Amino acid sequence: PSVPVQFGNHYAVLAGDFLLGRSMALVASLSCPEAMSIVSESLCALAEGELLQAGEVTLNMTAEAAYFPTIAPPPVKDDIMITLWNQYLHKTYMKTASLLSNTLKCGVVLGGTPVGHPLRDIASCYGACFGMAFQVCCDQIHELELVHPPRSS
């Protein structure tokens, strides 16, 4: 069972806070301000994605449009569906793809790749695209399980 199921939501949140604090301390010990900045950006994006999913914030598509790569055209021509598609992609980027994008970017930075080197953008873009593909596949599997639940033995 998950941590919230096993120990309750309060302890799950406290455990998450503890792990977040430890991870930030580890990043700080690397003495790389750019890595700390990348990790901070990742945490902000993740929190924003969670808020988007919870419906607690509204989406300003013009401000954040540059954050996520275009992976596919909208599936239909209907304006409402296009808006929903773009909101789904944005939330997916914020919750999943940004984490992978920034993880790879941080690895390249910590590996000593200089500012302005194309490898930084390549690693970041690869992580974003991989994260988007991963989450879209996971969402599709989840939807299929809702329509056709697995049989129990």
Side-chain angles (χ1 to χ4, degrees), residues 39-146:
V39 171
S40 297
E41 288 172 24
S42 297
L43 296 174
C44 290
L46 180 62
E48 183 180 342
E50 290 293 339
L51 289 169
L52 284 171
Q53 182 167 326
E56 298 299 323
V57 296
T58 56
L59 188 59
N60 178 0
M61 289 300 291
T62 57
E64 288 89 4
Y67 283 109
F68 60 94
T70 301
I71 61 165
V76 293
K77 300 287 185 211
D78 180 88
D79 287 344
I80 293 172
M81 291 302 292
I82 289 171
T83 298
L84 292 172
W85 176 248
N86 287 334
Q87 288 175 347
Y88 168 76
L89 292 178
H90 181 81
K91 183 263 315 169
T92 299
Y93 176 80
M94 300 304 280
K95 283 190 61 184
T96 306
S98 67
L99 181 61
L100 289 169
S101 174
N102 287 324
T103 298
L104 292 182
K105 182 178 178 182
C106 201
V108 170
V109 166
L110 290 171
T113 305
V115 174
H117 194 282
L119 190 54
R120 287 177 173 227
D121 289 335
I122 292 168
S124 181
C125 187
Y126 178 81
C129 290
F130 184 84
M132 292 294 283
F134 173 82
Q135 191 60 54
V136 168
C137 288
C138 285
D139 291 346
Q140 286 298 307
I141 290 168
H142 178 72
E143 289 299 317
L144 288 172
E145 288 174 348
L146 291 176

Side-chain angles (χ1 to χ4, degrees), residues 6 14 30 44 119 147-148:
Q6 187 78 25
L14 290 175
L30 297 172
C44 290
L119 190 54
V147 174
H148 302 288

